[in-house]
Amino acid sequence: MLRPSRQPYPHDLAPKKHPAQPRAKATVRAVLDATARILARDGYDGVTTNHVAEAAGVSIGSLYEYFPNKQSIIAAALARELRQIADEVKGSMRTALALPDQPRGGIDHWMRGMMASLDRRSRLLRVAMREVPFFWDIPEARNLSETLQHIAQEGRRKSERVLHFDDPEADTYLLMTMCWAAILQTVLYRPAHLSRERLTRTLVDMVTKLL
Amino acid sequence: MLRPSRQPYPHDLAPKKHPAQPRAKATVRAVLDATARILARDGYDGVTTNHVAEAAGVSIGSLYEYFPNKQSIIAAALARELRQIADEVKGSMRTALALPDQPRGGIDHWMRGMMASLDRRSRLLRVAMREVPFFWDIPEARNLSETLQHIAQEGRRKSERVLHFDDPEADTYLLMTMCWAAILQTVLYRPAHLSRERLTRTLVDMVTKLL
DNA sequence: ACTTAATCCGAGCAAATGCTCAGGTCTACT
DNA sequence: AGTAGACCTGAGCATTTGCTCGGATTAAGT
C-alpha cells in the first residue's frame, strides 16, 4: 500500500475543495455514501479508492478533485455520520428533560435514544472504532465525546440531582463514560448473554440508584 | 497490499510449526518481540513483514518457517501479551480476596492491579484494540473478557455480596463491563480532565455503594 | 458568442509489500 | 563419517493500490 509519508497518520483529513455546483455536490454525496457503505461491509482495508469511485459511479479523478487523499474521504464520510448521531443524542436529551417521572423516566428515554442512534449505524461504527487508525483524529469524533459530557453535566444541573460522592463534575464524567462504554459494548459487540432490554433496564436502575 | 482472500479477516491466525531447537525458539521470540515493538511504535500499518524480519535480526524466510502469514505473527505477539495480562489480573484478584476490609479494600486492590497491568502495555493495547482488524478473533482476547467475567462472578460469590437488583449474574456482568470500560478509557485514551488516582477512588466508591 | 472556470474522465505510473523458492548451514543421531 | 531433517537466507516475483495528469466536457458570466 502506498503511504504518503513515514508519519503514522496523516493530519490531512480535511477536504480539499468545496463543491459549488449542484452536479458536484451530488458527486461528493455519492462518494461519501459509497465510502460508508463499503466501509461497513468490507472493513477498513476493503476501502480502496478505485473501488469507492466505481461504487459511487464517478471516476477516480473526481475523487481527488475534492479530497486530497484516501484518509480524508473516509474521515468525511464518518464525520457526516457522527454529526447526525450527536444531533440525535442532543434531541433525545431535550425530550428526556421534558418528561415527568424524573430522573428515572428521563434517563430511560435518553438511554433508549442513544442506543437506537448507535444501533442504526452499528456496523459502520464498529469498523470505524475498531479499524480506522485515525478515527479519534476526526474532529467530530472528539466532539461527540465532549458533547456527551456537556449534555450529561447540563442534565445533572437541570434535574437538580447530584451524585453522592465528592466532586459532582468528576462523578458525572465517570458515570457518563461508564454508561457510554457499556452501551457501546452491547450495541457494537453484541454479547450473547445479555439482551438489549435487560441491559437498558439494569443500566437505568444503576444510574437512578446512584443519583 | 496483497490480501490472501476476499474474506474480511483470515481465521488463519494460528502458528504453522513449533520451534524445536533452542536456536529456533530464540528466533521466534525475537520475531514476537520485534512485532510488539513495531506495532506499539508505528501502528498496524507500520508492521511490514520485511521490517519485522530486519528488526528481529532474522531473514524473511525464517518468519514464514513458523507463521503462515503476517496476521498470524501479529496475533501471536498479542496473544502472548494478553496471556500475561490475564495472569496478572487473576493474581491481583487472589491477593485482593485475602485482604481484610472487604469489599472495599479488595476492590481497591484489584482495580489498581488491573490498571497497572494495562498501563505497562498501554501503547501496544491501544493500537491492538483500535487498529488491528482481527483483534477479537484472537482466542486470547476473547478469553480475557470471559476470564474477567468469571473472576468477577467468583469474587461476588466469595465475598457473599449481591447487587441490589434483579439478577445477580447479569448485574455483575454489567458492572464488570462498565468498570472495565472505564478503566480502558482512562488508561488507554488518557483523558486530560481526570487523574488516574481520582478515577480509581471514585470507581471504588461507586462499586462499593452498589454492592 | 466567447471566455473562463468548474467539473469530470480514466489509462497508467511509481512504489510498496506479502510471500516464495532454490539452495545453503547447522544439529542430532546412527 | 554419513545422513536426514531442522533451520536459515535473501533476491526477487506477483500483485495491489494510491494517485497524477493531460485533456474532454459542462456550466457561469458577460
Side-chain angles (χ1 to χ4, degrees):
Chain A
M1 190 185 296
L2 193 86
R3 299 237 134 222
S5 76
R6 266 279 137 236
Q7 276 198 320
Y9 311 127
H11 36 245
D12 206 359
L13 299 177
K16 190 185 194 171
K17 198 174 74 175
H18 281 290
Q21 303 171 6
R23 179 176 49 145
K25 287 189 183 174
T27 301
V28 170
R29 201 174 328 121
V31 169
L32 296 185
D33 287 347
T35 303
R37 221 168 47 234
I38 295 173
L39 195 57
R41 205 189 50 208
D42 300 336
Y44 181 64
D45 282 344
V47 179
T48 71
T49 51
N50 292 296
H51 191 182
V52 165
E54 190 190 14
V58 304
S59 91
I60 319 274
S62 295
L63 287 202
Y64 287 93
E65 199 75 32
Y66 302 103
F67 301 97
N69 51 47
K70 181 187 158 185
Q71 287 87 343
S72 69
I73 301 172
I74 295 175
L78 291 177
R80 195 180 56 166
E81 223 69 28
L82 289 167
R83 257 177 263 125
Q84 283 176 15
I85 293 176
D87 286 348
E88 290 175 14
V89 171
K90 275 184 216 161
S92 66
M93 180 48 139
R94 256 195 303 278
T95 56
L97 282 172
L99 251 51
D101 180 25
Q102 293 291 344
R104 206 199 153 76
I107 291 171
D108 187 82
H109 180 85
W110 192 31
M111 292 275 177
R112 288 174 198 279
M114 282 199 287
M115 292 186 81
S117 186
L118 296 181
D119 216 14
R120 235 168 282 138
R121 306 163 171 91
S122 58
R123 296 183 65 87
L124 183 64
L125 285 175
R126 191 161 53 225
V127 172
M129 302 188 64
R130 277 205 209 171
E131 302 181 19
V132 176
F134 52 86
F135 179 71
W136 293 103
D137 296 336
I138 301 172
E140 278 80 357
R142 296 180 185 280
N143 276 3
L144 185 56
S145 302
E146 281 179 27
T147 301
L148 280 171
Q149 286 306 321
H150 282 145
I151 296 178
Q153 300 287 354
E154 192 188 349
R156 170 174 59 78
R157 277 193 298 272
K158 279 201 185 152
S159 70
E160 290 166 358
R161 290 279 177 155
V162 214
L163 294 180
H164 298 151
F165 311 127
D166 301 342
D167 176 353
E169 195 124 344
D171 293 341
T172 305
Y173 169 82
L174 190 63
L175 192 57
M176 183 69 233
T177 297
M178 291 174 77
C179 288
W180 181 249
I183 290 175
L184 277 182
Q185 182 80 8
T186 47
V187 170
L188 302 186
Y189 310 130
R190 307 191 173 278
H193 325 57
L194 196 61
S195 84
R196 190 75 43 101
E197 180 55 29
R198 160 147 218 88
L199 167 86
T200 314
R201 267 190 292 121
T202 313
L203 212 50
V204 173
D205 275 350
M206 277 193 186
V207 177
T208 311
K209 175 153 285 194
L210 284 172
L211 287 174
Chain B
M1 189 184 293
L2 193 85
R3 300 237 132 223
S5 77
R6 266 281 137 232
Q7 275 199 319
Y9 310 126
H11 38 244
D12 207 356
L13 297 178
K16 189 183 192 174
K17 197 173 77 177
H18 279 289
Q21 303 172 5
R23 178 174 50 145
K25 286 189 183 174
T27 300
V28 170
R29 202 176 325 125
V31 169
L32 297 185
D33 287 346
T35 304
R37 221 167 48 233
I38 296 172
L39 195 57
R41 204 188 52 209
D42 301 336
Y44 181 64
D45 282 345
V47 179
T48 71
T49 52
N50 292 297
H51 192 180
V52 165
E54 190 190 15
V58 303
S59 90
I60 319 273
S62 296
L63 289 202
Y64 288 92
E65 198 77 30
Y66 302 102
F67 301 97
N69 52 46
K70 181 187 159 185
Q71 288 89 340
S72 69
I73 301 173
I74 295 174
L78 290 177
R80 196 180 55 166
E81 223 69 27
L82 290 167
R83 257 178 262 123
Q84 283 176 16
I85 293 176
D87 285 347
E88 291 174 13
V89 171
K90 274 184 216 161
S92 66
M93 180 50 141
R94 256 195 302 277
T95 57
L97 282 172
L99 251 50
D101 180 24
Q102 293 290 345
R104 206 197 153 77
I107 291 170
D108 186 82
H109 180 86
W110 192 33
M111 290 278 176
R112 289 173 198 279
M114 281 199 286
M115 293 187 82
S117 186
L118 297 181
D119 216 15
R120 235 169 281 139
R121 308 164 172 88
S122 58
R123 295 184 64 86
L124 183 64
L125 285 175
R126 188 162 56 227
V127 171
M129 301 186 66
R130 278 206 211 170
E131 303 181 19
V132 175
F134 52 85
F135 180 72
W136 294 104
D137 296 335
I138 301 172
E140 278 80 358
R142 296 182 186 278
N143 276 3
L144 185 55
S145 302
E146 280 179 28
T147 300
L148 280 171
Q149 286 305 323
H150 281 146
I151 295 178
Q153 300 289 353
E154 192 188 349
R156 169 175 60 77
R157 276 194 297 273
K158 278 203 184 151
S159 71
E160 289 166 359
R161 291 279 176 156
V162 213
L163 295 180
H164 300 152
F165 310 127
D166 300 345
D167 177 351
E169 195 124 345
D171 293 340
T172 306
Y173 169 82
L174 190 62
L175 192 57
M176 183 70 234
T177 296
M178 291 174 77
C179 288
W180 182 248
I183 290 175
L184 277 182
Q185 181 82 6
T186 48
V187 171
L188 301 187
Y189 310 130
R190 305 192 173 280
H193 325 57
L194 197 61
S195 83
R196 191 73 44 97
E197 179 55 29
R198 161 147 217 89
L199 167 85
T200 314
R201 268 190 291 122
T202 314
L203 212 50
V204 173
D205 276 349
M206 277 193 186
V207 177
T208 311
K209 174 153 284 189
L210 284 172
L211 286 175

